[in-house]
Amino acid sequence: MVDVPKVTQLLKQAVDPKRVTDRDFDIVAYSRDLSPARQKMATHIVMPESREEVRGILRVASDNNVPVYIRGGGTSHWDAYLPQEPGILLDMSLMNQILEINDRDLTATIQPNCTWAKLDQELRKKGLTYLCSEAGGPAMTIGGSVMKAGGGPHSTAKFGFHGNQDIITLEMVLPNGDIVETGSAAWPSAGKFKRQCVGPDLAGLFIGAEGILGICTEITLRIRPATDVKERMVAVMKTLDDVIELGHFVNRCVGDEYLQGFYLWVDPNSPETFLVMMDVFGYEREIVDYRKTRILEKIKELGGTLGDRAPADDYYGRILTGLTDIFTAGVWHFFGSGSLRIDDIKFLYRVWREELIEKRGYKKAGFGGQVLPRDWLAFMVTNYREPAEWEEIIRISDEINEIVLNGPVAPYGIGGRDGLRPFLEKRDTGYYRLLKTIKKAVDPKDILQRGIFVRKEDLI
Amino acid sequence: MKIEQYRDMIYACGRCEFCRGTEFSDRCPQIFTQRWESSTARGRMAIARAILEGKLDYSKDLRERVFGCFLCGRCREECKKAAKIDIVAITKAMRADFVDRGVGAPEEGGKMTSTMAQKGNIFADSTSEHTKWAQGIKFQKGSGTLFFPGCLASHRFKEKTRILVQVLQAAGYKLDFLGDDQRCCGTPMWVTGDVRAAKQWAQDYVKKLKARGVKEIITPCPSCFRAFDEEYPQLLGLKEPPFKVRHSSQVLEEIVAQKRLPLKTSVPKVVTYHDPCEIGRYRGMYDQGRKVLTAIPGVQLKEMSRIREQAFCCGGGGGLKIMYPDYSQQVSEERLRDALQTTASVLATMCPACELNLTHAAYKTDAPLKVADVAEIVAVSAGLADKAILEPDYISDD
């Protein structure tokens, strides 16, 4: 049990008392995420402003054996920050500054809760941009993306996902309060310009770890000159095999750094219609036109039909500002999702069509995915009504997840007990054993994100 | 509970946080001032859901999160893209629940409403003080067109109100005025959740105006405009408003379109325009003020970065000026920053509450900018007012 009044008092000594709350109405606002995960209440919400304050909060937590959960923009899809047991929730909102835009080295250094949209606005004023993006809307924070190795509809074969490959250095506060840096930033007299140096890629240790090994307080990432030329295309392919061939083609011939988006969408009401949206960008018209021509030729060769580009404009154009009508049919849930080989998309499609639509009669979930970089990040997504349809969607998605994760699909994001953690913990893999070993070494009291990614009992 | 009727909407919140945006200062004035998630629309839907599920109850401590909303409608505008939740209606219902369940509005809000009910205006002005602005102006009793200035225009902006009436009369409008019989429109009542009293107030007011032969109301105040045009019909269960109601922006637009006033004097000013929430986002009236401004010779309209649907609140909405004046001031200064970035020397708007709040921000920060009503610029161009009224250092006798 958390001694709430005592911890409140201690937290108010660690940070400005105005930025500590234990009031139920404040806490309830943080008790859900974007997923159908059950409501989970923290005991306290704290808004730190600096790495030193984060360290002070961790000290209070450690001394009193209170777990700490870390929330960015609050749009997790898999129970990745909700308190699995009563504890302190850090609202990182105040750590949202852009610290430096270095247009010589092409790097930007930001605090973790800077949103992608905010960074994009500032970069564009200087003729710069970052390359890739999730479709998370305006609340999507860079720290949140990095801690889950974020990927989405904007990515490239060459540069990968923005929440991963584009990261240069990280500053992390470890559970023991130590403040560490990765990459070239780890060398005191160097700077923040290179990820892989000094030794092992320790940034990679934290990326995708969902905050269980440390709290991110600063990120340096790669940026690029803004691109002037953009082309968007929409095609309808006759078969999924054709989509696969097109996917292989763009990854070989035009997808290196020029094809930024390749997004497949199949509507449950028309499961034989394979809509593909593509986003090509570049610095020179001649090159973009050439790439576009190659894609168009391939689509033609495969017997696909070109369509109006308006849906692609709408989709890609709203990645940062918010997709239209996303909740008019109910609340979102992604399930049956993960990373898989380009050829293996047929497996996931079959599960969607046979297991979900035909056997279970659930016809509200669409099927889609992105084929860059060099593999699918695919998913099923539905809108459902809370609370009436909640139990049904949980039951169905658990069953589908079980089938999918027994196939050639690697989960993308783990989260807590209402996320994919139960699927991870029952598989006795070397990966999970190693992760537990690292977690025990770095966080022996299991303070950070207790119950997320790694089950508490597995650390004893 | 009144929020019960919005159950489906409350559960429809997908927690996307379009309502909050990219930054504290981006969209929502409440998160800008209060910071906690509970002060966003997303947070408020979580609170409302917890109340519906019996996990939370209305309390004095909670009031700041609900009465601290500026009711500016920015979140509702954003939610049109996502779940189409009428956050303003839900917030008003929550405020009404506070009253119905005996918790009540914040003290200053309650005082505002009782003052208004007892004295007829929110400032506790005497009748003679409240109608002072109209001294010397001839009105036509029984003309059927009532000029209704509202509390703020009567109390704080006497000169501006006089100028507006001069413009309307010069353009040929035959205006009636209630004079000593003028009372507040009742907005403070529903803003502070006192729906029962509001209903009675609306009933009495309609009766009084009908007895006077009022067919049309013209008002410079967006709250009064919406009171007669939206709130009264809602409170009284009417399908149509009991009177034709026009905001002064619509009338000024008509004057310009029909060339009812010669706008001959050049007003060589860079002017920026602030969209009042209650005629802008609430009613989609974005073009009226702009059309009038661009019809005035010499005026160069320079827009702020956030305009129309995306305009940031002035800080004067939702009763915050009275209930949480510090928050109100913070927001007005943020909005003023938008205006200053345009390099305009005149910040024009068409709402006494916006004018008051933005003027306070300009005074406090010593900004080189005059906050003016669009009608004042029209008056200067029509030769009805001295151009000095548009200078940043001009202070009226009000």
Side-chain angles (χ1 to χ4, degrees):
Chain A
M1 284 293 289
V2 178
D3 183 342
V4 174
K6 179 187 170 193
V7 173
T8 303
Q9 200 177 15
L10 292 169
L11 287 170
K12 285 184 175 178
Q13 288 164 12
V15 304
D16 183 337
K18 286 182 193 160
R19 292 187 271 111
V20 177
T21 181
D22 57 11
R23 293 176 296 195
D24 52 3
F25 58 83
D26 282 332
I27 291 168
V28 81
Y30 296 87
S31 64
R32 294 180 196 276
D33 63 7
L34 215 66
S35 78
R38 289 166 186 83
Q39 183 178 37
K40 299 177 183 71
M41 295 284 281
T43 53
H44 301 79
I45 312 292
V46 189
M47 297 177 84
E49 272 186 348
S50 67
R51 62 177 77 87
E52 289 75 20
E53 286 190 348
V54 170
R55 178 155 58 181
I57 295 163
L58 283 173
R59 193 170 294 132
V60 171
S62 183
D63 290 349
N64 292 276
N65 191 25
V66 180
V68 172
Y69 298 91
I70 312 141
R71 180 184 181 274
T75 56
S76 163
H77 287 295
W78 48 77
D79 195 20
Y81 67 78
L82 298 177
Q84 308 293 305
E85 60 181 82
I88 300 162
L89 184 85
L90 300 192
D91 174 348
M92 300 293 285
S93 299
L94 292 171
M95 296 186 67
N96 69 345
Q97 299 304 304
I98 297 170
L99 301 172
E100 187 194 17
I101 294 173
N102 185 330
D103 59 3
R104 298 288 290 170
D105 292 341
L106 291 173
T107 62
T109 299
I110 49 98
Q111 289 185 311
N113 240 61
C114 174
T115 59
W116 289 104
K118 177 177 171 177
L119 178 63
D120 188 59
Q121 282 166 14
E122 289 308 308
L123 289 176
R124 293 207 178 265
K125 288 177 190 169
K126 297 173 184 286
L128 299 165
T129 187
Y130 65 90
L131 196 57
C132 310
S133 184
E134 298 171 78
M140 182 178 58
T141 66
I142 299 173
S145 286
V146 173
M147 289 303 111
K148 68 182 179 70
H154 266 173
S155 49
T156 71
K158 184 172 177 180
F159 298 115
F161 289 154
H162 65 300
N164 185 357
Q165 282 95 326
D166 268 353
I167 303 309
I168 299 172
T169 64
L170 297 175
E171 178 188 88
M172 305 293 299
V173 182
L174 301 183
N176 66 2
D178 200 5
I179 298 170
V180 301
E181 292 172 314
T182 67
S184 58
W187 201 254
S189 52
K192 298 161 189 170
F193 59 91
K194 194 169 175 65
R195 172 155 164 185
Q196 179 63 65
C197 58
V198 184
D201 172 19
L202 293 183
L205 185 69
F206 296 109
I207 293 170
E210 298 179 359
I212 67 169
L213 301 176
I215 299 176
C216 180
T217 47
E218 192 184 292
I219 298 163
T220 298
L221 67 157
R222 288 196 293 206
I223 55 174
R224 298 173 174 80
T227 53
D228 300 324
V229 189
K230 196 173 276 275
E231 284 289 345
R232 283 172 180 159
M233 290 169 278
V234 168
V236 176
M237 307 306 289
K238 286 193 291 191
T239 67
L240 195 56
D241 283 327
D242 293 339
V243 175
I244 289 169
E245 288 314 306
L246 187 60
H248 278 300
F249 177 80
V250 300
N251 268 292
R252 280 168 171 72
C253 303
V254 288
D256 42 13
E257 72 264 49
Y258 290 99
L259 195 79
Q260 195 175 8
F262 184 105
Y263 183 87
L264 166 70
W265 178 248
V266 193
D267 190 281
N269 298 311
S270 184
E272 296 284 352
T273 303
F274 302 96
L275 182 79
V276 179
M277 293 186 278
M278 287 154 288
D279 201 10
V280 186
F281 77 97
Y283 297 101
E284 292 167 41
R285 167 57 64 187
E286 201 177 354
I287 296 175
V288 171
D289 283 348
Y290 173 71
R291 306 282 167 157
K292 183 182 171 187
T293 304
R294 298 284 314 269
I295 295 171
L296 293 178
E297 284 171 358
K298 189 68 182 176
I299 291 168
K300 196 176 169 186
E301 179 195 316
L302 292 166
T305 313
L306 282 174
D308 178 9
R309 65 175 268 179
D313 279 338
D314 190 56
Y315 181 73
Y316 289 121
R318 290 177 183 274
I319 279 172
L320 288 180
T321 56
L323 303 176
T324 311
D325 292 341
I326 54 172
F327 302 125
T328 46
V331 181
W332 246 0
H333 183 38
F334 283 87
F335 60 102
S337 65
S339 298
L340 64 167
R341 286 183 205 90
I342 293 178
D343 288 338
D344 287 334
I345 193 73
K346 288 202 289 194
F347 165 80
L348 207 58
Y349 176 77
R350 187 186 58 73
V351 173
W352 172 70
R353 188 147 181 194
E354 294 176 8
E355 295 289 339
L356 187 65
I357 297 178
E358 293 168 11
K359 275 193 197 166
R360 288 167 181 78
Y362 191 81
K363 296 173 182 169
K364 285 169 60 178
F367 173 77
Q370 295 93 234
V371 79
L372 294 167
R374 299 192 181 189
D375 55 39
W376 286 103
L377 177 56
F379 52 83
M380 302 168 202
V381 62
T382 190
N383 292 91
Y384 69 100
R385 296 283 173 199
E386 286 184 350
E389 297 169 0
W390 184 84
E391 282 187 18
E392 180 194 26
I393 197 64
I394 291 295
R395 177 181 54 78
I396 290 176
S397 58
D398 278 353
E399 290 171 5
I400 295 295
N401 282 339
E402 186 67 48
I403 298 167
V404 165
L405 295 175
N406 277 322
V409 182
Y412 173 74
I414 298 298
R417 59 177 179 269
D418 293 334
L420 295 182
R421 194 197 76 191
F423 297 89
L424 178 72
E425 68 201 21
K426 68 184 177 191
R427 287 163 171 80
D428 182 27
T429 62
Y431 175 87
Y432 191 47
R433 290 194 297 275
L434 175 60
L435 188 67
K436 284 186 286 188
T437 304
I438 296 169
K439 171 73 173 167
K440 278 184 203 173
V442 173
D443 187 9
K445 290 186 177 177
D446 192 16
I447 294 297
L448 279 182
Q449 301 273 84
R450 186 182 292 169
I452 287 173
F453 217 136
V454 180
R455 188 171 52 171
K456 183 169 79 170
E457 294 74 14
D458 287 353
L459 292 171
I460 297 166
Chain B
M1 282 189 296
K2 290 202 166 53
I3 56 167
E4 192 65 52
Q5 62 185 305
Y6 299 106
R7 179 178 280 270
D8 288 350
M9 278 194 194
I10 290 164
Y11 276 97
C13 176
R15 284 91 72 178
C16 64
E17 197 118 280
F18 287 8
C19 49
R20 173 177 172 154
T22 62
E23 176 65 279
F24 286 107
S25 59
D26 187 20
R27 292 174 183 168
C28 169
Q30 192 180 3
I31 186 83
F32 175 67
T33 50
Q34 295 187 28
R35 306 284 161 146
W36 298 108
E37 179 70 33
S38 47
S39 51
T40 62
R42 175 169 76 167
R44 198 165 320 123
M45 293 309 100
I47 291 169
R49 179 172 172 169
I51 291 171
L52 284 174
E53 292 174 351
K55 296 172 181 168
L56 204 63
D57 203 357
Y58 293 101
S59 65
K60 284 192 173 178
D61 284 345
L62 174 61
R63 291 192 299 205
E64 189 179 12
R65 298 290 180 264
V66 180
F67 289 88
C69 165
F70 292 73
L71 299 178
C72 73
R74 182 69 182 90
C75 53
R76 180 172 62 181
E77 195 63 40
E78 212 56 44
C79 199
K80 285 178 184 172
K81 288 192 293 201
K84 299 183 173 30
I85 300 171
D86 189 344
I87 299 139
V88 172
I90 294 169
T91 306
K92 279 171 64 186
M94 291 176 88
R95 290 185 178 193
D97 283 342
F98 270 97
V99 173
D100 290 350
R101 295 173 77 82
V103 183
E107 197 179 338
E108 292 305 316
K111 271 190 207 165
M112 171 173 68
T113 305
S114 58
T115 301
M116 170 235 143
Q118 285 163 23
K119 302 283 184 182
N121 65 78
I122 59 173
F123 299 103
D125 282 347
S126 64
T127 307
S128 59
E129 181 60 29
H130 211 58
T131 56
K132 202 171 168 186
W133 67 267
Q135 279 174 8
I137 298 177
K138 285 185 181 169
F139 290 98
Q140 293 193 19
K141 190 174 180 183
S143 73
T145 302
L146 180 72
F147 178 75
F148 189 90
C151 296
L152 209 48
S154 304
H155 171 86
R156 176 65 178 79
F157 293 123
K158 293 179 169 58
E159 182 180 276
K160 286 172 188 284
T161 308
R162 199 158 42 240
I163 287 173
L164 171 62
V165 170
Q166 282 169 350
V167 167
L168 297 178
Q169 290 184 330
Y173 294 86
K174 297 182 189 336
L175 303 175
D176 188 2
F177 174 52
L178 291 173
D180 290 353
D181 209 17
Q182 182 185 261
R183 299 284 179 276
C184 173
C185 66
T187 292
M189 288 176 169
W190 49 86
V191 164
T192 57
D194 198 349
V195 176
R196 200 170 305 148
K199 194 172 175 179
Q200 188 60 51
W201 191 269
Q203 231 163 24
D204 294 347
Y205 226 122
V206 169
K207 199 171 159 189
K208 181 165 78 177
L209 296 186
K210 284 208 163 159
R212 196 181 173 96
V214 172
K215 302 274 187 300
E216 180 185 12
I217 297 170
I218 295 174
T219 176
C221 173
S223 295
C224 300
F225 165 69
R226 286 190 50 257
F228 293 119
D229 203 48
E230 286 179 47
E231 301 286 351
Y232 278 25
Q234 215 171 55
L235 287 164
L236 303 177
L238 305 172
K239 282 184 183 166
E240 297 288 327
F243 318 97
K244 179 181 176 184
V245 190
R246 287 201 287 173
H247 181 253
S248 54
S249 60
Q250 295 169 297
V251 184
L252 289 178
E253 184 194 19
E254 183 176 81
I255 290 170
V256 167
Q258 295 177 358
K259 299 190 189 318
R260 293 173 74 155
L261 263 186
L263 301 178
K264 288 182 178 166
T265 305
S266 177
V267 184
K269 296 275 183 192
V270 176
V271 179
T272 193
Y273 180 72
H274 167 74
D275 291 283
C277 303
E278 286 194 87
I279 56 170
R281 275 188 287 269
Y282 275 68
R283 298 297 294 264
M285 290 160 55
Y286 300 110
D287 293 325
Q288 285 77 3
R290 291 180 170 82
K291 279 184 186 168
V292 174
L293 286 172
T294 50
I296 298 169
V299 165
Q300 187 194 341
L301 177 63
K302 216 166 167 186
E303 295 281 14
M304 289 183 262
S305 55
R306 297 182 280 188
I307 57 168
R308 301 174 73 93
E309 294 90 344
Q310 296 175 4
F312 197 63
C313 177
C314 74
L320 271 280
K321 185 79 179 164
I322 303 282
M323 292 188 281
Y324 300 101
D326 290 347
Y327 292 155
S328 180
Q329 182 70 20
Q330 266 178 270
V331 173
S332 66
E333 288 175 28
E334 170 66 12
R335 185 53 170 162
L336 188 71
R337 278 190 280 276
D338 284 352
L340 290 170
Q341 278 173 5
T342 66
T343 69
S345 66
V346 178
L347 168 53
T349 187
M350 304 197 81
C351 167
C354 298
E355 284 168 47
L356 181 70
N357 236 31
L358 293 167
T359 300
H360 283 171
Y363 285 170
K364 190 177 172 199
T365 59
D366 200 18
L369 170 148
K370 172 71 181 172
V371 180
D373 194 286
V374 171
E376 291 180 275
I377 308 173
V378 170
V380 170
S381 184
L384 297 169
D386 193 292
K387 63 181 181 184
I389 65 170
L390 301 179
E391 295 304 317
D393 55 0
Y394 176 81
I395 296 175
S396 72
D397 295 334
D398 295 349

